[in-house]
Amino acid sequence: VKALARASSSTVLTLAYQHVHESDVPRWDQVVQRGYVRYGFDPQERQLAYVRSQTFLAHPWLRRVEATLSLQRSVEGRYRQRKGESLEVRERDEVETLGVVVEARSEPRAGWRATSGLELYHDRVASSAAAADLATGASVTRRGLYPDGATATSLAAFTLHSLDVGRLGVTLGGRFNSFAVEADDPVVGRIDVRPSALVGSASALYRLTPDQHLAASVNTGFRAPNISDIGSLGPFDFGVEIPSPDLQPERSLTFELGHKARMGRVASTVALFSTRLHDLIERAESTYLGSPTLDGDRVYRKENVGEARLRGVEAEVEVALPL
């Protein structure tokens, strides 16, 4: 459900609520491939509520000011039982996310447009698990998939500027992002990870003719490890994952060169790109309490062991058919 209201002659309010609920969603691949008689999700639920204010102004540095306050809640329950066993494991994860975003659109002068803002998100995780013997009725509480009570906070400031000078268009942007992941974990103890990074982007568009454009860009990227990367303890598609509290962020560098053209009814785009990834987070074989297996599955933990280079070509042709 969504509603728009005019708060004043220059301000519009948006209120919205979304709700998705699914029950007893099976993971048939786990039943077929990994020896489970039952494996599924119950429930899978997501709720999102937000209020957004948009104010339109005449000042060149503040053409539009937008502020959004959001609250999101997701719940996932999981159950599994191996063939030939009476033990059923049930897990439940609940994540609440509070978000605040403030953004300003500017047009300082003709041909110069800018978007700048601040962004804050805070996650809190509640995670629990229990193993019940269906034959005897006995139940034992276990550590959940994630550290119970774990929090993750993301704070960012960003700005993006576009300039048009004759045939040349230039876009420059920067973003500073700071993260904090905290938890008291019964397996690895206190977790306190605080990575931060400054990333940027630069692109240029040159208009050879009104119908032919050349484009080039360079971008840096950064992904901080999240609660799942750092604190997960439980099964995944082909094994069991244990916590990795010493992970470092992943980083990337991307170059792109392209050409756009339009001739009559035909438009085409060709782009070459190259991306280099550093400190990729990958699962590597490990041990838990000295054993390479846990509950019959191979033990893995995430490590910064990967590097990759992606190179490619993208092409697109569009033809407007005569009517």
Side-chain angles (χ1 to χ4, degrees), residues 35-47:
Y36 287 96
V37 65
R38 296 174 65 246
Y39 198 119
F41 299 93
D42 187 30
Q44 283 190 320
E45 184 176 352
R46 173 182 174 271
Q47 299 176 75

Side-chain angles (χ1 to χ4, degrees), residues 165-178:
V165 183
R167 294 186 175 187
L168 181 65
V170 177
T171 300
L172 302 173
R175 178 184 177 94
F176 177 78
N177 219 148
S178 179

Side-chain angles (χ1 to χ4, degrees), residues 188 190-193 229-231 242-247 301-302:
V188 297
R190 177 68 180 168
I191 295 175
D192 191 350
V193 180
D229 293 327
I230 294 171
I242 63 174
S244 307
D246 54 352
L247 285 176
R301 72 189 302 266
K302 289 180 177 175

Side-chain angles (χ1 to χ4, degrees), residues 33-242:
Q33 299 175 12
R34 298 192 59 203
Y36 287 96
V37 65
R38 296 174 65 246
Y39 198 119
F41 299 93
D42 187 30
Q44 283 190 320
E45 184 176 352
R46 173 182 174 271
Q47 299 176 75
L48 169 65
Y50 70 86
V51 57
R52 174 176 295 149
S53 169
Q54 293 177 304
T55 301
F56 300 87
L57 304 170
H59 196 283
W61 287 99
L62 292 175
R63 290 293 189 187
R64 188 172 84 181
V65 178
E66 184 174 295
T68 304
L69 175 65
S70 64
L71 180 63
Q72 187 170 197
R73 178 177 177 266
S74 64
V75 178
E76 181 175 275
R78 296 174 299 278
Y79 59 84
R80 62 182 184 272
Q81 179 186 357
R82 290 189 178 276
K83 293 180 181 179
E85 296 183 3
S86 60
L87 194 69
E88 180 190 61
V89 177
R90 285 190 171 268
E91 300 173 323
R92 180 182 173 89
D93 301 316
E94 182 174 331
V95 182
E96 292 184 349
T97 302
L98 175 67
V100 179
V101 180
V102 179
E103 185 177 285
R105 306 281 180 91
S106 308
E107 293 181 13
R109 65 183 186 186
W112 181 6
R113 299 172 303 280
T115 301
S116 304
L118 298 172
E119 194 177 89
L120 172 66
Y121 286 98
H122 179 75
D123 301 329
R124 177 173 291 276
V125 177
S127 185
S128 61
D133 191 323
L134 301 181
T136 65
S139 179
V140 177
T141 301
R142 290 185 174 184
R143 190 256 203 197
L145 180 61
Y146 308 115
D148 188 40
T151 62
T153 303
S154 168
L155 177 63
F158 60 89
T159 186
L160 182 70
H161 296 258
S162 297
L163 301 168
D164 287 321
V165 183
R167 294 186 175 187
L168 181 65
V170 177
T171 300
L172 302 173
R175 178 184 177 94
F176 177 78
N177 219 148
S178 179
F179 297 84
V181 179
E182 299 180 86
D184 287 311
D185 187 66
V187 176
V188 297
R190 177 68 180 168
I191 295 175
D192 191 350
V193 180
R194 298 177 181 271
S196 61
L198 177 64
V199 297
S201 65
S203 63
L205 177 72
Y206 186 73
R207 303 170 182 88
L208 295 170
T209 68
D211 295 326
Q212 292 196 60
H213 299 166
L214 288 177
S217 66
V218 57
N219 302 275
T220 58
F222 167 89
R223 190 185 81 85
N226 54 37
I227 293 175
S228 178
D229 293 327
I230 294 171
S232 180
L233 175 60
F236 63 98
D237 288 349
F238 56 87
V240 172
E241 186 173 273
I242 63 174

